[in-house]
Amino acid sequence: MKMNFLVLFLCFVFNATGIAQCDIKNRVQPDGSMVYYFEPAVFYSTKSKSLKINIVTDKEHYLVGLQPTPFPEKKEGKKIKDDLIMHLANNKTYKLTHYDTQYRRNDSIMQVLYLIDAKDIEAFSTYEAVSAEINMKGTEFVRSYNFKLHKDAIVEQLKCFLKEEEK
């Protein structure tokens, strides 16, 4: 009896964990459109800088959202217009087009959005992120991040969105 309960409990725990991974959130944009996103995952962290990443979508386009810390003040940050260079575990380099730079929660969070080209969605939903380079105008010239944490977050988040679309 105890063994059956343990097996049932473990099945519940693992199923709940799988469901929690696809905890898609949404918010209404100022223009009235809906965007869907995940809470950002920490990809890189040191005492002096960190980078959180998440996937944001309007169900038509997929964007990588970067939240770097420290980030430039709004006047300087709005000058960030360069594309993002990402390296995936398939040893290929991808250029993501700059989409928008946003300051949220009373300017306490900066998020830079980059569009994933439709032809690259399969690669981003298959291979872990290895590193990225971003031109952070207002700080240093180019910030490079070699990802150490949650390298599969983009893969997992895209899989959740793509699975949702299949329904």
Side-chain angles (χ1 to χ4, degrees):
M1 183 71 163
K2 287 183 181 181
M3 187 61 151
N4 288 342
F5 177 74
L6 179 62
V7 170
L8 182 63
F9 176 75
L10 290 174
C11 287
F12 175 75
V13 168
F14 286 113
N15 282 335
T17 302
I19 293 167
Q21 290 177 346
C22 283
D23 187 16
I24 298 171
K25 304 195 180 299
N26 62 58
R27 71 173 165 261
V28 178
Q29 297 291 82
D31 67 0
S33 64
M34 183 72 74
V35 293
Y36 303 87
Y37 65 97
F38 285 88
E39 287 299 322
V42 176
F43 265 54
Y44 181 90
S45 183
T46 66
K47 287 182 180 180
S48 62
K49 63 183 177 179
S50 70
L51 183 68
K52 292 181 180 180
I53 294 182
N54 67 334
I55 297 295
V56 179
T57 184
D58 59 3
K59 301 255 178 145
E60 189 176 329
H61 304 96
Y62 293 91
L63 304 134
V64 170
L66 300 183
Q67 292 181 1
T69 304
F71 56 84
E73 58 186 66
K74 200 173 201 174
K75 180 180 171 189
E76 290 298 314
K78 289 292 187 175
K79 294 178 185 175
I80 296 173
K81 301 282 185 213
D82 290 351
D83 297 336
L84 174 69
I85 305 299
M86 285 202 68
H87 305 275
L88 301 185
N90 63 351
N91 295 318
K92 292 188 179 177
T93 301
Y94 298 86
K95 183 190 270 189
L96 284 69
T97 306
H98 178 269
Y99 183 80
D100 191 21
T101 301
Q102 305 171 340
Y103 284 78
R104 300 182 318 164
R105 296 191 194 148
N106 296 322
D107 298 343
S108 64
I109 295 175
M110 173 194 169
Q111 182 170 39
V112 187
L113 297 169
Y114 296 92
L115 182 64
I116 302 173
D117 194 307
K119 70 178 176 24
D120 297 331
I121 294 292
E122 185 175 342
F124 276 86
S125 62
T126 305
Y127 300 101
E128 289 182 341
V130 176
S131 65
E133 290 118 41
I134 177 175
N135 187 343
M136 292 292 292
K137 290 182 171 45
T139 56
E140 63 267 16
F141 185 64
V142 174
R143 269 194 208 172
S144 295
Y145 298 92
N146 290 316
F147 302 138
K148 304 289 184 207
L149 308 168
H150 304 103
K151 296 193 296 187
D152 64 343
I154 291 173
V155 170
E156 296 302 319
Q157 291 178 16
L158 273 173
K159 282 182 180 178
C160 287
F161 281 130
L162 297 172
K163 185 172 64 177
E164 226 10 71
E165 283 181 7
E166 290 175 3
K167 290 181 181 179

